[in-house]
Amino acid sequence: MSSPAKVLFIGIDAADKDLILEWAAAGELPHLNSLLETAAWGVTQSPVGLYVGAIWPSFYTGVSPARHARYCYEQLQPGSYEVKPVSPREVKHEPFWDALNRAGKRVAVIDVPKTFASRLSNGLHIVDWGSHDPDVSGFAAWPASMAADIEKQFGIDNLHNCNAFRTTGEEFRDFRDMLIQRVRQKTALSAWCLDQGDWDCFVTVFSESHCVGHQCWHLHDDRHYKYDPRLVEIAGDPVKAVYKAIDEGIGELIRKVGDDAHLVLFASHGMGPHYDATFMLDEILRRVEGDPPRQRRASLVPLASAAWKLLPQKVRHFARPVRRKARTSLGLEQSAQTPRRKSFRVPNNDAYGGIRINLAGREPKGLIAPGREYDEFCEALSRDLLAFINVTSGEPLVKAVLRSADLYEGDNLHYLPDLLVEWNRSAPVEEIYSPNTGTITGTYRKCRTGDHTPEGLFFIRGPSIAPGQMQEQVSVMDLAPTIASLTGVELADVDGRSLAPLITAQ
Ligand SMILES: [Zn+2]
Ligand SMILES: [Zn+2]
């Protein structure tokens, strides 16, 4: 029987590369382990400083964030001080499956994060059936008539948004089991779609590795400041349990396509303890500019903030304008103050802080002139940030302050933060000090105990591929042109390059 797919792509969202390699070697992930023997494989690099929100759009477009312009779930709208949620439809470059579709290829796409359902003429596209941080528009399918069938056969995702304050071992155990169940259902859904057969390119992504890493890192990492053996006694290591379930799912899908197909597997980015100071960055910038310490207003504010995060994502989406008004009138909303600030924090997830300079000619009420004044301001601000010490560890708070313009090139560079703050993430941050600014304290109030690290892994296996480790790191932007070239299509106008010539057997 011929293979149901010529190219099978499997993504494992935010499955940490070091854990994969460690657990594969220990025999815990047998299918991933066998790929280390049979595939060309290596380490991937993701967009520096912006990778958390840019990695999947960079994967599926093959271009840098300075071109596709998507790096966070909410972004500053250029030409204003307004921050708005970003829809997948705003990604400013086409996904590679649209090019394959135009070339007459039959393509299936399942749950690639941050996408909308493409109208693939001879294919199918399932969006957010079960993914981490789904878009507010929720589960969608193309052809649309598939959606009801999928719900009937495979159910719907009861988890939706994984963020919640879990405290007991039983809550973490139940969460682990829900994720494992979702892995099994995702495997069944993918197998069902695969069985429709004759796919030139079949793309599916497991996201449970992402959810479990954010929510359960402190049950995995016994050096984490929230590690509690009483929770581990009941819930075990949920990270390992979920990775093992995904490995089983991978095995099942690989068996279906056999050895004649090309397989591309991608573990997108990593996970480590959630130690950073992004939650303090706005206060840091205010204090550097000489503002007095922010008064802790009502003690109800943190409570209200925690309650807000517990609301379903859809409710939060529609209630956001009302909340913003209330926060503005209380003086809590950052945008109420940005026009008079020289620099201000912009959303960029948590792993790197994002800073916008209030630039004359670009921002509506810009205060810093372009050219020399901008350069000098950036240098002075970088020096100020590098002077902070994390009092808990005694180490510098900031490893580096990077300029987006030094890292990226593209028509949409103006969408990106000007500066990217690379935190020293060796210890939790609660109190920081610099000689210029004095002491600043704060508390991280979100539920996540794990957060991202930049490197990932790729594996490519197939009849024409020479197995072995590639020493050189490859860019995540190389994967779309590689997948396309394995189906016989050359992607035009991308920043990545096909890896096929490097890994093809001579
Ligand atoms: Zn994440
Ligand atoms: Zn999640």
Side-chain angles (χ1 to χ4, degrees):
M1 206 179 82
S2 72
S3 173
K6 292 192 183 76
V7 178
L8 169 65
F9 170 91
I10 303 174
I12 335 175
D13 189 12
D16 186 73
K17 94 174 195 312
D18 295 331
L19 292 184
I20 290 177
L21 294 175
E22 181 192 328
W23 289 337
E28 306 268 12
L29 308 173
H31 300 102
L32 283 158
N33 191 42
S34 84
L35 287 176
L36 289 165
E37 299 294 323
T38 55
W41 67 277
V43 174
T44 57
Q45 259 187 346
S46 43
V48 178
L50 299 166
Y51 61 91
V52 174
I55 191 156
W56 284 105
S58 283
F59 157 74
Y60 67 70
T61 60
V63 305
S64 96
R67 293 181 65 196
H68 64 64
R70 202 281 182 194
Y71 60 90
C72 192
Y73 58 92
E74 54 179 14
Q75 294 180 195
L76 181 80
Q77 303 299 299
S80 78
Y81 294 104
E82 218 181 323
V83 164
K84 280 190 181 166
V86 181
S87 141
R89 289 184 186 275
E90 292 171 74
V91 173
K92 299 183 199 312
H93 198 90
E94 73 169 2
F96 71 86
W97 43 82
D98 282 3
L100 298 193
N101 184 56
R102 259 199 318 280
K105 303 293 177 188
R106 177 163 151 77
V107 186
V109 183
I110 303 174
D111 276 0
V112 176
K114 320 298 170 208
T115 59
F116 61 93
S118 282
R119 293 166 173 251
L120 302 167
S121 31
N122 189 23
L124 66 84
H125 194 167
I126 297 168
V127 174
D128 288 338
W129 175 82
S131 48
H132 169 72
D133 192 19
D135 189 58
V136 68
S137 52
F139 167 55
W142 174 263
S145 57
M146 275 182 80
D149 214 11
I150 290 169
E151 278 198 39
K152 208 167 114 200
Q153 289 199 59
F154 304 100
I156 50 163
D157 176 21
N158 292 320
L159 195 58
H160 201 63
N161 185 324
C162 60
N163 290 328
F165 285 93
R166 299 174 186 88
T167 50
T168 67
E170 287 76 12
E171 283 171 326
F172 283 107
R173 185 193 59 201
D174 293 350
F175 175 62
R176 173 199 72 191
D177 291 346
M178 274 177 96
L179 290 174
I180 291 173
Q181 179 59 15
R182 200 172 79 184
V183 170
R184 290 184 180 146
Q185 289 299 91
K186 171 68 66 67
T187 307
L189 168 63
S190 302
W192 177 73
C193 293
L194 203 46
D195 281 341
Q196 296 176 23
D198 208 22
W199 299 107
D200 292 301
C201 183
F202 189 96
V203 177
T204 186
V205 176
F206 292 101
S207 285
E208 293 69 26
S209 36
H210 197 153
C211 303
V212 79
H214 276 314
Q215 311 299 344
C216 301
W217 194 258
H218 63 301
L219 278 78
H220 160 72
D221 176 1
D222 60 8
R223 288 161 306 172
H224 195 283
Y225 80 115
K226 285 192 172 169
Y227 180 82
D228 181 345
R230 289 166 303 179
L231 299 180
V232 178
E233 210 178 294
I234 299 166
D237 177 355
V239 180
K240 191 191 268 190
V242 167
Y243 280 35
K244 286 176 75 150
I246 292 175
D247 186 71
E248 277 173 32
I250 289 169
E252 200 173 320
L253 298 178
I254 293 179
R255 261 195 307 279
K256 273 193 162 300
V257 297
D259 290 339
D260 292 341
H262 277 105
L263 169 75
V264 181
L265 194 137
F266 174 43
S268 59
H269 49 325
M271 198 60 79
H274 199 314
Y275 300 157
D276 60 74
T278 295
F279 70 96
M280 293 171 107
L281 181 56
D282 189 48
E283 180 69 0
I284 293 171
L285 294 173
R286 290 176 66 260
R287 296 282 291 277
V288 166
E289 284 190 26
D291 281 9
R294 178 170 276 164
Q295 295 296 316
R296 301 230 167 264
R297 288 175 188 254
S299 57
L300 285 176
V301 167
L303 273 178
S305 189
W308 166 258
K309 283 174 199 117
L310 288 174
L311 291 173
Q313 197 189 21
K314 252 190 184 147
V315 176
R316 277 188 288 161
H317 180 76
F318 292 109
R320 201 164 264 135
V322 179
R323 177 178 186 255
R324 215 180 278 278
K325 259 190 195 151
R327 286 178 58 88
T328 303
S329 62
L330 285 168
L332 296 169
E333 193 62 31
Q334 180 191 306
S335 64
Q337 305 153 23
T338 40
R340 64 169 188 81
R341 298 263 298 275
K342 291 178 182 155
S343 67
F344 52 93
R345 184 188 74 85
V346 285
N348 182 33
N349 301 96
D350 294 335
Y352 275 71
I355 299 174
R356 186 82 164 177
I357 310 299
N358 198 2
L359 183 65
R362 184 183 67 182
E363 267 66 46
K365 294 184 179 172
L367 296 174
I368 305 290
R372 197 167 146 189
E373 192 180 338
Y374 174 86
D375 287 338
E376 285 175 358
F377 180 81
C378 288
E379 275 165 34
L381 179 54
S382 301
R383 274 197 304 275
D384 281 329
L385 292 169
L386 287 162
F388 277 97
I389 297 291
N390 179 358
V391 175
T392 309
S393 64
E395 292 178 14
L397 175 71
V398 173
K399 271 190 171 171
V401 182
L402 310 171
R403 284 205 206 183
S404 293
D406 292 341
L407 299 166
Y408 296 106
E409 239 184 278
D411 292 346
N412 293 316
L413 186 64
H414 61 292
Y415 276 78
L416 309 183
D418 292 280
L419 301 179
L420 300 162
V421 184
E422 183 180 351
W423 305 111
N424 175 355
R425 294 158 77 189
S426 66
V429 182
E430 289 183 317
E431 184 178 354
I432 61 171
Y433 171 81
S434 100
N436 295 339
T437 315
T439 298
I440 304 176
T441 56
T443 307
Y444 171 74
R445 294 186 191 278
K446 293 182 185 171
C447 60
R448 295 180 175 182
T449 57
D451 201 27
H452 296 291
T453 54
E455 290 177 344
L457 276 182
F458 77 93
F459 298 84
I460 305 178
R461 195 194 75 175
S464 63
I465 305 297
Q469 183 181 2
M470 265 182 83
Q471 294 308 321
E472 178 198 348
Q473 290 198 0
V474 309
S475 164
V476 298
M477 297 182 294
D478 295 340
L479 294 172
T482 304
I483 296 164
S485 73
L486 292 173
T487 69
V489 174
E490 190 134 333
L491 284 192
D493 194 27
V494 288
D495 296 335
R497 47 143 197 189
S498 169
L499 301 173
L502 302 174
I503 54 175
T504 302
Q506 297 303 313

